[in-house]
Amino acid sequence: MYNRLAEYQVVGRKLPSEKEPVPKLYRMRLFAPNDVVAKSRFWYFIKQMRKLKKASGEIVACDLILEKRPLKVKNFGVWLRYDSRSGTHNMYKEYRGMSRVEAVEQMYADMAARHRSRFRNVHILKVVELEKNADVKRPYIRQLLDPKLRFPLPSRLPKSAGAGKKVFAANRPSTWY
Amino acid sequence: MSQNEGFKRFVELGRVVMVNGGKDAGKLAVIVEIIDHNRALIDGPSNGVPRQVASYADITLTPYVVKGLPRSAGSKVVAKLYEKVGVQAKWEASSWAKKLAARKRRAELTDFERFQVMKLKKQRRYEVRSKSAKA
């Protein structure tokens, strides 16, 4: 499965000096399309939080973090901070998917759709796998946790109908399943 | 539920589905877990369909259900229950599967076989028409 983003662990520190021969290490878990962007975002965030910038520091490690159980369906809670047109707000959203990366991709798409916010406007504060169903707060995810969940697919348009591809068709497609 | 009235095939745990396209086109798999309104986790260990996420647009629901499948069951459990319910035999006996097999066979015919088919159809046509002309 191709994912637009990947999760990276970036570890950086201030450059060693006489005053501080072994500086403190700072570690961040980020979501970025590649390791170049991951390192760049590391500097962006670390500059906001500590007296550390790319010119005065170094990246010690930048490793890919893979999903531990990519075939297990999980519920994720995402805490984020985003800039709207008139202010900045905190949000908590929930997503259901197979991996942290997938949940984050859903979140960016969701934020773009519902709030017109772009990648640059969103800061991910925390992504947590909700292990217990009781921890799931949002009704749009709770409805999918029903053990006896079942629904039909009404009004289904099969791909053979050629939606968007066929210019002419002999008959109207049947949507009954 | 009254809103489910009239529908026969549901997206549910244990529903047998047919994969529409790709490497495993035409093979059967079972819905192991529903992810959301667009995707489900399917698995077809008896047919060589690997455990994967499938969008409802990429699969076709069949009338068969593997009852008693626990949520998020492992491939071994799915294979065992699939054999126990005997889905593959029921599927192969259905006219849907037979039609698909006939279509596939027709596409594989060689030129000589097509000639043979033409001859047989001609013969059948002649016999039916001559009999009905007499009647």
Side-chain angles (χ1 to χ4, degrees), chain A residues 8-37:
Chain A
Y8 290 90
Q9 169 181 271
V10 189
V11 183
R13 65 173 191 171
K14 237 196 288 207
L15 288 169
S17 65
E18 282 130 30
K19 259 185 278 167
E20 218 183 342
V22 185
K24 211 174 193 189
L25 289 173
Y26 294 101
R27 167 188 172 267
M28 280 198 81
R29 290 181 77 151
L30 308 157
F31 295 91
N34 53 53
D35 62 327
V36 173
V37 177

Side-chain angles (χ1 to χ4, degrees), chain A residues 87-155:
Chain A
T88 151
H89 317 270
N90 290 330
M91 258 190 188
Y92 168 73
K93 287 181 157 286
E94 286 173 356
Y95 299 99
R96 195 165 150 78
M98 311 298 277
S99 64
R100 285 168 60 91
V101 168
E102 204 191 279
V104 164
E105 285 182 351
Q106 281 186 1
M107 183 276 294
Y108 278 119
D110 192 36
M111 289 303 290
R114 296 206 149 88
H115 303 281
R116 306 301 196 243
S117 60
R118 278 91 195 170
F119 180 85
R120 62 181 124 103
N121 293 332
V122 175
H123 289 184
I124 298 173
L125 305 172
K126 202 163 51 164
V127 179
V128 170
E129 183 196 329
L130 304 168
E131 260 140 51
K132 287 184 269 182
N133 278 359
D135 293 338
V136 174
K137 283 166 58 177
R138 298 291 185 250
Y140 54 83
I141 297 295
R142 291 220 78 132
Q143 67 180 338
L144 300 167
L145 304 177
D146 178 5
K148 297 215 179 70
L149 183 63
R150 91 202 268 254
F151 49 87
L153 297 173
S155 202

Side-chain angles (χ1 to χ4, degrees), chain A residues 1 70-73 96-98 102 106 133 140 143-147 149-156 159 176-177, chain B residues 1 4 6-13 20 33-37 39 41 51-53 56-61 71:
Chain A
M1 226 198 96
L71 291 173
K72 175 183 174 208
V73 183
R96 195 165 150 78
M98 311 298 277
E102 204 191 279
Q106 281 186 1
N133 278 359
Y140 54 83
Q143 67 180 338
L144 300 167
L145 304 177
D146 178 5
L149 183 63
R150 91 202 268 254
F151 49 87
L153 297 173
S155 202
R156 179 182 197 252
K159 287 217 178 102
W176 170 248
Y177 206 171
Chain B
M1 252 191 274
N4 283 343
F7 291 105
K8 299 236 180 71
R9 300 182 194 177
F10 293 85
V11 170
E12 58 191 321
L13 266 189
N20 285 348
E33 189 163 7
I34 299 173
I35 302 174
D36 56 29
H37 289 292
R39 304 172 297 160
L41 185 64
R51 200 177 179 97
Q52 64 199 281
V53 172
Y56 301 138
D58 300 332
I59 57 176
T60 307
L61 303 180
R71 192 174 67 89

